[in-house]
Amino acid sequence: MPGLSITIKCVPFYELTLEELYTILALRQEVFIVEQNCPFLDADGKDQLALHLMITDEAGSLLAYTRLFEKSVYYDGYTSIGRVVTSPKARGTGVGKLLMEESIAKVLGSFEIAPIKIGAQKYLEKFYQSLGFRLTGNDYMEDGIPHTYMIFDKHLS
C-alpha cells in the first residue's frame, strides 16, 4: 500500500466512539445491504460481544473493518472473524489482506487459543485460502449468497 497512511485500531464495543460506530454501521450497510442487494438485519446483537478492528486513512475515513469473537461466542469451540468488509474506495490497495492478517493476529493474541472459524462468501475462498484458511466442505446459502465455512488453525498452517 505505497503512499497510503493508515491507522489500525481494535477496541471492544463499549470503547467505540459514536462516530466510529456510525461509520462502521454505514460501511456494513453500504456493502452488505446496498451493494450486495441483500436485505438482512445487520444489527444482530453480537456487536456488543466483539472486538472491532478498524483500518482508517489519514483523513479518518474507514477503509476496512472486522469484528472478532472469543472462543464459543459465535461458533461453538471456535474463535471467529466476521463482518469482513472493505470500502469500495479501498479495494485493490491491499487493505483487505492487511485487514485479515491483522484480524488473525489479534484473535490469536487476544483470546484463548482455538481455531478461527469464518463463514466466507464462496467467491472469496481462494483469498482466504491464501491466508491459511482451509475449506471444511460445508457450503450453505445465507441471504441468497453462497457461503462456505472455513477454518484457520495455526497448528495446521
Side-chain angles (χ1 to χ4, degrees):
M1 292 170 307
L4 186 61
S5 175
I6 60 163
T7 300
I8 300 169
K9 182 177 179 181
C10 187
V11 295
F13 180 80
Y14 296 101
E15 291 181 22
L16 290 170
T17 67
L18 289 177
E19 184 69 26
E20 287 168 339
L21 178 60
Y22 181 85
T23 58
I24 288 167
L25 295 174
L27 179 59
R28 287 176 10 187
Q29 289 175 27
E30 175 186 6
V31 173
F32 299 138
I33 297 169
V34 177
E35 180 181 296
Q36 296 180 356
N37 192 26
C38 183
F40 76 106
L41 185 59
D42 179 48
D44 62 359
K46 295 214 183 328
D47 287 311
Q48 297 90 327
L49 306 173
L51 291 178
H52 300 266
L53 193 140
M54 301 162 280
I55 298 179
T56 55
D57 65 14
E58 59 277 351
S61 296
L62 185 61
L63 301 176
Y65 164 84
T66 55
R67 61 182 191 178
L68 316 174
F69 293 98
E70 291 186 64
K71 182 179 175 183
S72 298
V73 170
Y74 206 87
Y75 297 113
D76 194 35
Y78 297 91
T79 57
S80 185
I81 299 170
R83 295 294 198 269
V84 179
V85 62
T86 301
S87 171
K89 70 179 182 180
R91 292 181 189 152
T93 65
V95 167
K97 182 177 181 188
L98 175 65
L99 173 72
M100 283 306 297
E101 290 170 344
E102 291 290 329
S103 295
I104 292 166
K106 191 67 173 176
V107 167
L108 295 176
S110 299
F111 304 136
E112 175 185 346
I113 297 299
I116 303 169
K117 184 174 184 177
I118 61 172
Q121 292 185 7
K122 283 286 286 178
Y123 83 96
L124 290 169
E125 69 183 38
K126 289 193 183 334
F127 169 72
Y128 289 114
Q129 285 175 315
S130 76
L131 295 164
F133 285 87
R134 61 179 170 75
L135 293 167
T136 65
N138 295 314
D139 296 347
Y140 62 100
M141 290 294 286
E142 184 174 316
D143 300 314
I145 299 173
H147 283 70
T148 189
Y149 289 115
M150 300 182 81
I151 305 291
F152 178 94
D153 189 334
K154 76 174 196 160
H155 298 99
L156 301 177
S157 297

